[in-house]
Amino acid sequence: MRGWARLDFSPGLSVLPTEGHGRMPVRYLFRINIVKERRRSPRVRLHGEVHLQISGLSLRIPAADISVSGVGVLLDEHVLAGKPSGEVGVCRIEAPEIDGRIEAYVSIMRVRRIGNVRLGGLRFESISDDELELIRQYKRKCRANPAAS
């Protein structure tokens, strides 16, 4: 294959011949590695609920994922609107897959918009060692049975 190619970042990561913007010579394609998520503590999916108390609000929101450094939550468009990154609150995580309840002080790291839903990242600021161990056990369980996560 000669000429130019473009990377398509849809599932399956394919290389398509193309013209125009985003082109690169095919000879460079062999130098591209598939990059894993570069986090200190990778996330795993979590089906549960997060009770968040922040700025006088008391919210019940669905969990998206969890790691030993924080929890991702799915927010309606208006929830946490205008809350700056770094604002601190208390969260309680309840999920049937986790063998206990997790409570921690969290800070808002970011809120990203995905269609009409926003994905919020809450970083654990203060969490007990026992609760961290519950998260580690859940992550080990997910790795042992990837279809469940």
Side-chain angles (χ1 to χ4, degrees):
M1 188 161 131
R2 292 181 55 98
W4 296 90
R6 177 175 61 96
L7 288 180
D8 178 7
F9 292 101
S10 61
L13 189 66
S14 59
V15 177
L16 304 172
T18 186
E19 297 286 328
H21 188 71
R23 301 180 303 170
M24 66 186 296
V26 174
R27 67 180 178 269
Y28 294 117
L29 294 178
F30 297 106
R31 297 181 187 161
I32 296 173
N33 296 323
I34 297 193
V35 179
K36 287 182 160 181
E37 187 176 42
R38 292 182 301 178
R39 294 180 166 269
R40 281 183 266 176
S41 53
R43 301 174 287 187
V44 292
R45 228 180 258 160
L46 180 66
H47 303 286
E49 191 170 65
V50 175
H51 299 264
L52 179 63
Q53 293 179 336
I54 195 162
S55 301
L57 296 173
S58 186
L59 307 168
R60 289 175 36 168
I61 46 185
D65 56 49
I66 194 167
S67 74
V68 293
S69 60
V71 62
V73 293
L74 297 172
L75 304 166
D76 287 331
E77 194 162 349
H78 65 282
V79 177
L80 294 183
K83 299 289 182 240
S85 293
E87 189 149 347
V88 178
V90 178
C91 84
R92 185 177 74 240
I93 303 166
E94 296 176 350
E97 301 100 347
I98 295 179
D99 300 328
R101 198 167 76 177
I102 297 170
E103 283 195 38
Y105 287 101
V106 295
S107 63
I108 300 173
M109 288 306 295
R110 68 175 56 99
V111 178
R112 289 187 320 200
R113 185 180 184 146
I114 303 169
N116 291 336
V117 176
R118 294 174 187 240
L119 181 63
L122 306 176
R123 181 176 64 191
F124 296 135
E125 296 295 337
S126 177
I127 186 169
S128 75
D129 290 338
D130 292 339
E131 290 164 332
L132 283 174
E133 187 55 34
L134 287 174
I135 296 169
R136 288 185 189 106
Q137 287 173 3
Y138 175 64
K139 288 176 67 174
R140 283 191 293 269
K141 190 182 342 177
C142 289
R143 272 183 268 158
N145 187 9
S149 64

